[in-house]
Amino acid sequence: MRRRRSRLLVALLAVAAAAGCAAGPSVRPALVENDGKTTGSTPAGTPPVPLPPLAEPQSPSLRWGDCDDDTRQRIGTPAVPDTLHFTCARVTAPLDAPGEARRSVVRLLAVKVGAGPIPLVVVNDIDGEPGSVYAARLAAALPPAFLEKFSLIGVDRRGTGLSGAVQCVPADVRHDLIDADPAQGDLQGVLDAARRAGQQCAIELDDSQTALDSWRGAGDLDELRKQLGMERLNALGRGDGSKVLSEYAVRFPGQVGRMVLDGVPDPGPDTAAVLDAVAAGAQSTLDAFAADCAARGCTLGDPKAALAAVTDQLRRMAPSTDDGVAFGPGVAMYAVYSGLAQRSRWPELADAITAARSGNITPLAAFASPVLQDTRAQPSRIDATIATRCNDSQSRLSADQLDQVVAGMRAKYPQFGTVVAQQLAWCGPWPVRTEPLPPAGATGAPPILVTATAADPVTPQVGSTRAADQMPTAVTLTWQGAGHGAVGASPCVTDAARAFLIDGKVPADGTLCPA
């Protein structure tokens, strides 16, 4: 996003057979009495809020237009079935920059897929595919019953995709932000890159810099709800897209419809502790990847040994990608980390690591390209990630504190400790949030389904269940599998989400789904 358009955030370039779920004991950590935490059930003396009925829109104001070709071009490969068709609309919402409330607007891209009469809004991770693209992929993975009942409304969050994408980080700096060597304890290079990124973003984003956060993203969803003509918002969020929905439930509990939070992140204010659990989740996911590779008989062998060989090789001589970007051990491990989150691409990831051992880095570099490459149609994802996550947090660490944290994480998690810890350096130069952090809870909301994955490298199970503990009406459903997000990946979780969203059936809290 350039300074000329920063105040407006101008965007828009163009208008599994179900397996049974087994009820099991709660996977939540024990709660401490009288410490102010909620227990995942409605507080004593408060009447429970029933799950709202589904209702069709009344007097929607959005104007939808065909965007099938443009959307398919953005989706790229793997493509989605020709039976899916896409229409697009523009959603206008107030920017609400601190100190300039409602003086400027954002224009968001919404993409509709499916012919069902009830809108189901889909929100994705800030560092993942834009919500419009994720909704298209989700539509291809869900059973037909979903699209008979719902039309999926994928929305690009403010600052992402075609919703006024943040593009303020210099091209050469993006590489340096993810290039921390996993065998080294020094984040000085990442810190220097973060300073350059923060300086340039402050210049280019101007007043919008601190208006890119999840709380205001929740406000965008309420504007979308109104323009869809819905009394309540029915929605599905993945990863920190779920965070936006959880904050929506705090801001607008009376407008919450049926919501599924698929891998909601840990809401704890100690970012270092939260990321420590993320690194642990990444290591567990690597173990699951190794088991999957062995079961398939892939030629990779032991992934940990293979990754050590690749990084040693790249440390001696870092080749360049086809785009001229240096591909060192830090970028390589970031690429692997990104690949582990995408369960459907594990065979491709295994082949890419094998190719890298033979000197061909191109397949592995493709997993890092969403960060390294930046075009108007497909903006780099790291710019909006830094803006949103830094605005969502008040944590800032000194260089000495960073060194201590990364040393500890590298010792405990040799593959991914440094990869994850470098994220702590990104926010160092960013303005510290002066507004209070949003409260937890969502008291007064109807039941909300929180799904967790046992080995998740992005939103680990321990964090998702901790988030559910703070939501009085949340019920948890845990997939004992691996990867980021369970809806669409686990037939058991997908069927439970279908029953919740369509039939209004709330599963027992602590239900377990087999891997």
Side-chain angles (χ1 to χ4, degrees), residues 53-362:
L54 294 175
E56 296 189 18
Q58 300 295 318
S59 303
S61 60
L62 288 179
R63 299 176 61 182
W64 298 95
D66 178 78
C67 60
D68 209 75
D69 291 342
D70 290 340
T71 301
R72 289 185 181 279
Q73 185 175 2
R74 293 179 65 219
I75 292 170
T77 55
V80 296
D82 292 339
T83 52
L84 297 177
H85 297 286
F86 306 98
T87 55
C88 292
R90 302 183 181 199
V91 180
T92 301
L95 175 64
D96 275 349
E100 292 195 352
R102 310 191 76 87
R103 286 180 56 184
S104 301
V105 298
V106 293
R107 302 185 71 193
L108 310 174
L109 172 71
V111 172
K112 179 164 65 173
V113 53
I118 310 295
L120 180 70
V121 173
V122 176
V123 190
N124 198 24
D125 293 275
I126 196 69
D127 60 352
E129 291 183 311
S132 56
V133 175
Y134 174 63
R137 296 204 190 282
L138 189 62
L142 293 175
F146 272 90
L147 299 187
E148 293 170 2
K149 189 67 174 180
F150 296 111
S151 53
L152 303 189
I153 311 294
V155 58
D156 290 1
R157 295 166 61 174
R158 57 170 60 196
T160 73
L162 300 187
S163 293
V166 177
Q167 291 176 285
C168 59
V169 179
D172 59 324
V173 172
R174 294 189 181 100
H175 166 274
D176 295 345
L177 288 168
I178 61 170
D179 194 35
D181 190 323
Q184 304 296 325
D186 184 5
L187 290 183
Q188 188 58 52
V190 180
L191 278 169
D192 291 342
R195 291 188 188 101
R196 293 178 61 194
Q199 290 167 357
Q200 193 63 30
C201 289
I203 293 170
E204 296 204 18
L205 296 181
D206 197 25
D207 295 329
S208 67
Q209 182 179 14
T210 51
L212 298 160
D213 64 5
S214 297
W215 185 255
R216 289 173 176 83
D220 294 341
L221 295 186
D222 201 53
E223 293 293 334
L224 173 61
R225 175 193 64 80
K226 295 172 186 176
Q227 295 174 42
L228 285 169
M230 298 295 294
E231 181 179 352
R232 291 176 177 268
L233 182 74
N234 304 302
L236 185 152
R238 183 175 73 156
D240 64 18
S242 297
K243 174 182 173 66
V244 179
L245 295 185
S246 69
E247 295 190 6
Y248 182 93
V250 172
R251 288 189 68 176
F252 312 104
Q255 280 68 56
V256 173
R258 300 183 182 183
M259 285 190 175
V260 175
L261 311 186
D262 188 17
V264 61
D266 192 327
D270 185 346
T271 307
V274 169
L275 289 180
D276 188 279
V278 170
Q283 294 289 155
S284 297
T285 307
L286 181 62
D287 293 338
F289 170 76
D292 177 78
C293 192
R296 290 187 295 104
C298 69
T299 60
L300 177 62
D302 177 11
K304 293 180 181 179
L307 289 174
V310 168
T311 52
D312 285 345
Q313 181 177 316
L314 295 175
R315 201 170 285 117
R316 291 191 297 270
M317 184 184 68
S320 296
T321 67
D322 293 341
D323 297 318
V325 178
F327 196 77
V331 176
M333 288 305 295
Y334 186 91
V336 173
Y337 174 69
S338 299
L340 288 177
Q342 305 171 65
R343 177 64 185 261
S344 64
R345 298 182 68 185
W346 280 8
E348 180 186 349
L349 177 62
D351 291 342
I353 297 171
T354 300
R357 290 185 69 179
S358 301
N360 178 13
I361 62 166
T362 300

Side-chain angles (χ1 to χ4, degrees), residues 18-24 477-480 490-497 499 507-508 510-514:
C21 292
L477 174 68
T478 300
W479 176 38
Q480 297 174 303
S490 160
C492 169
V493 172
T494 302
D495 189 58
T511 297
L512 303 178
C513 277

